[in-house]
Every structure is written in structure tokens, then in C-alpha cells.
Amino acid sequence: MDKPERLLLIDDDETFARVLARALGARGFDVSVAHDAAGAIALLRREHPKHAVLDLKLGADNGLALIPQLLGIAPNLRILLLTGYASIATAVEAIKRGAHDYLAKPVDADAIVRALRDDEGDAEIVTTGNEHAPPLRRLEWEHIQRVLVESEGNISEAARRLGLHRRTLQRKLAKHPVRERGSS
């Protein structure tokens, strides 16, 4: 039997952290929870997780500022930044500081697992056989966000890379991200 992957969850919302830790545990992770930067650094040094799910707002601490500190201790740590305050500028800054991905809350545990395991070559572990492919609108939104990050937040450059008129891209960005349907 494979040993569960270690994951550090850093979020100051204790209820959200407890629920998400339980959900990620059910998906094969061994989850440790920290509610602030100091606790996160202590757990990282002690438990050596492979992944970290980090909230942007950590009470008095800032998740963006914590990214380089975490990577300084564990350079191979795969960091996913979560935020309820999504913006292109924040996404670009998170990636520049070393986060591997960025998701806006609300987000479900399956989306987090997909983001953590993306580019690792084992994404098929995430699917259970009864899941459906993400809707086309969701894939389009994610592609636009990826191109924006690659363009360092430059709308004109992103529009050129996407083959869209700048105003068309701005209209698409003005819409809220497409939410995935919950399983019912």
C-alpha cells in the first residue's frame, strides 16, 4: 500500500481548514493544518510535505509573502494558492513568487487535487470513473488565466496570444469564473 502524500494546509479560517483537510484526507493525502505563517513554517520543517495549499489572507500574515519563505525551506514544495479575493495581478504575483497554481474560492477538493497533481504525470489518479470532463466554459476560463499569467497580466499581449480582440478578452474577464458543479 502506498504511503499517503504529505500536504500542508495553511488557512486562518479554522472551519474551512477542518472541512478541507477532511476532504483532502479522503482523497489520499496526509494533511497537517497551520493557521498562520509561524505554524506553517514549524510544520514544514518538522513534517516535510510534498504539497502546500496556502490561503492568500492569513489574518495578520500574507500568503504571498509566505511563498518564498516556504520555498526557501523546501525548494521542491508544490504550492497552490487559494483566495477569495481573486485578481489577475494577484495570480501573476503568486506565480512569480513560486506558487505552482492559483485557485479562487469557493473551490472543491477535487479541483485542488487536480491542481496539485497537474504536470506530475499522475493526474489519472484524480479521476474516479464517474466524474465528467469539466465544462468547455471552465476550460476556456482556465486557459485564459494561464495565458494571462504567461503574459504577466498584460491584457493586450494575452489577447494577441489568444487570437482575440482586447475588448473581447476584457468582456470575458469581467464575467465571474465558471464554477464547477458539485456532485449530487
Side-chain angles (χ1 to χ4, degrees):
M1 185 169 158
D2 288 337
K3 190 174 163 183
E5 293 177 90
R6 304 242 0 118
L7 182 143
L8 176 58
L9 173 59
I10 311 160
D11 198 304
D12 64 333
D13 181 335
E14 293 184 22
T15 303
F16 175 78
R18 185 174 50 252
V19 170
L20 184 56
R22 189 175 312 130
L24 292 171
R27 285 160 178 82
F29 290 93
D30 182 5
V31 182
S32 299
V33 179
H35 300 294
D36 58 22
I41 289 170
L43 282 170
L44 180 64
R45 289 181 196 272
R46 186 171 65 238
E47 299 184 2
H48 312 287
K50 180 178 182 179
H51 306 282
V53 177
L54 171 64
D55 190 23
L56 177 66
K57 303 280 186 183
L58 293 172
D61 298 321
N62 180 310
L64 283 176
L66 187 55
I67 293 171
Q69 293 176 44
L70 296 173
L71 291 173
I73 297 166
N76 294 324
L77 183 67
R78 187 169 182 84
I79 300 174
L80 170 64
L81 187 73
L82 297 182
T83 182
Y85 306 93
S87 75
I88 295 165
T90 305
V92 169
E93 188 60 28
I95 301 303
K96 280 183 179 178
R97 290 182 183 223
H100 288 86
D101 212 336
Y102 177 96
L103 292 175
K105 289 179 182 179
V107 65
D108 66 20
D110 291 327
I112 290 171
V113 171
R114 281 191 298 274
L116 290 172
R117 292 196 171 138
D118 185 36
D119 298 332
E120 290 187 353
D122 60 357
E124 61 272 6
I125 294 171
V126 176
T127 59
T128 61
N130 61 0
E131 294 178 340
H132 301 290
L136 187 56
R137 292 178 316 177
R138 179 71 188 185
L139 293 174
E140 177 190 42
W141 175 261
E142 290 174 0
H143 180 65
I144 287 170
Q145 295 302 313
R146 209 172 8 261
V147 170
L148 270 169
V149 168
E150 291 169 1
S151 303
E152 297 182 350
N154 184 318
I155 300 285
S156 296
E157 175 63 17
R160 186 189 63 72
R161 290 182 184 188
L162 290 165
L164 297 173
H165 189 278
R166 185 177 51 80
R167 287 187 183 164
T168 302
L169 178 56
Q170 286 174 323
R171 277 194 301 275
K172 288 181 179 285
L173 291 171
K175 295 179 183 178
H176 294 290
V178 178
R179 290 187 183 173
E180 295 181 23
R181 290 188 192 133
S183 56
S184 45

